[in-house]
Amino acid sequence: MALIVCVCDYWNHRHFYNRPVPDRFQMLCGGEGNTTVKTEPVRRLVLELDAVRGNYVLRELLQQRVLKQWLLRELGVRLVWLRFQMPQRWSIDYKWAEMMAHTIWTHIELEHLMCWLSTLGGGYSALGDQFARYAQTAGEISLQQLAIGLRLGDPFLQARCKLYYSISLIQRGQLRSAKFLIRAQYRFACGLHKKRDKRLMRMCLGVWGRLCYEYEQRQKQRLSIENGKRFE
């Protein structure tokens, strides 16, 4: 048995929560003239509150299991009717505003830091083709970007940072690890979400092309070494 909550707003629009789905068989029988559907009386609790206090009461009714059981078992209430009225005085939640301001400012600073790391990582990655230590530094920068992506909670940003790290792996010759990492991000971009990230898919294909090129160069190098040994 669930507690039904109905909210009546300023325009007398009704919004139901935990409303049971009507039985199809009863709906079908109700359309016939000779058939009557028995309905049990429902005890209701009507509360007239301003919108600010009513919102707190609504959250308590939806989240507090003990309160719902107490209303159902002790008072026998099956329906709570919340009628919202225009508050006489609007109150500002300064604590919540301070928390939101801190969160927004943190996101701004993290995104600003991400831009700087992207510029710096791109420079080290460009030099990583000739120098292994620059490729190592570019990989460390990508891991720092991944930590920021985890803090921001953006899964697509995290996937892009992992792709940046796979480029560092390719430059350092760790092709097998890069291969599994690129495949995982491509599967994530294609199949794990309803909305596909085409940008991430193109990035995966581009890095995969770089990986295939490195495999071909490694294979040519092996063939040249084997041929050189044969002629010795």
Side-chain angles (χ1 to χ4, degrees), residues 49-184:
L49 301 170
D50 61 86
V52 177
R53 296 180 181 178
N55 184 56
Y56 290 115
V57 174
L58 175 62
R59 295 305 167 192
E60 292 294 327
L61 291 172
L62 296 179
Q63 298 177 5
Q64 296 295 334
R65 185 178 302 176
V66 177
L67 178 59
K68 289 187 285 188
Q69 293 179 354
W70 180 74
L71 289 173
L72 288 170
R73 296 178 181 178
E74 300 297 332
L75 301 181
V77 175
R78 294 279 304 280
L79 173 63
V80 177
W81 192 283
L82 298 178
R83 185 172 297 169
F84 286 176
Q85 299 177 354
M86 185 73 68
Q88 297 179 358
R89 181 179 180 183
W90 293 96
S91 60
I92 301 176
D93 194 343
Y94 292 98
K95 187 65 176 180
W96 177 255
E98 183 180 355
M99 293 172 59
M100 288 297 298
H102 181 268
T103 302
I104 293 173
W105 182 254
T106 302
H107 276 69
I108 293 174
E109 290 294 328
L110 289 175
E111 291 180 358
H112 187 258
L113 180 60
M114 179 68 74
C115 295
W116 277 104
L117 289 176
S118 298
T119 304
L120 187 63
Y124 276 98
S125 180
L127 295 173
D129 294 332
Q130 288 80 24
F131 306 98
R133 59 190 181 93
Y134 288 107
Q136 178 71 27
T137 305
E140 295 175 357
I141 294 175
S142 299
L143 292 179
Q144 294 179 4
Q145 289 179 301
L146 178 60
I148 295 176
L150 292 172
R151 189 171 179 181
L152 291 175
D154 189 349
F156 294 102
L157 178 59
Q158 298 168 21
R160 290 194 290 270
C161 295
K162 293 177 182 178
L163 278 180
Y164 300 151
Y165 185 71
S166 67
I167 297 176
S168 175
L169 294 176
I170 294 173
Q171 292 175 338
R172 287 179 285 168
Q174 302 178 18
L175 304 184
R176 184 177 178 84
S177 300
K179 177 178 63 176
F180 290 114
L181 189 59
I182 298 169
R183 284 179 176 175

Side-chain angles (χ1 to χ4, degrees), residues 2-20 42-51 53-55 57-62 68 71 77-85:
L3 180 67
I4 306 173
V5 180
C6 178
V7 177
C8 184
D9 56 19
Y10 306 146
W11 302 273
N12 292 326
H13 295 163
R14 301 174 183 178
H15 309 275
F16 288 91
Y17 298 87
N18 299 330
R19 188 177 186 179
V42 177
R43 187 175 183 180
R44 68 173 63 182
L45 175 63
V46 180
L47 298 176
E48 294 186 4
L49 301 170
D50 61 86
R53 296 180 181 178
N55 184 56
V57 174
L58 175 62
R59 295 305 167 192
E60 292 294 327
L61 291 172
L62 296 179
K68 289 187 285 188
L71 289 173
V77 175
R78 294 279 304 280
L79 173 63
V80 177
W81 192 283
L82 298 178
R83 185 172 297 169
F84 286 176
Q85 299 177 354

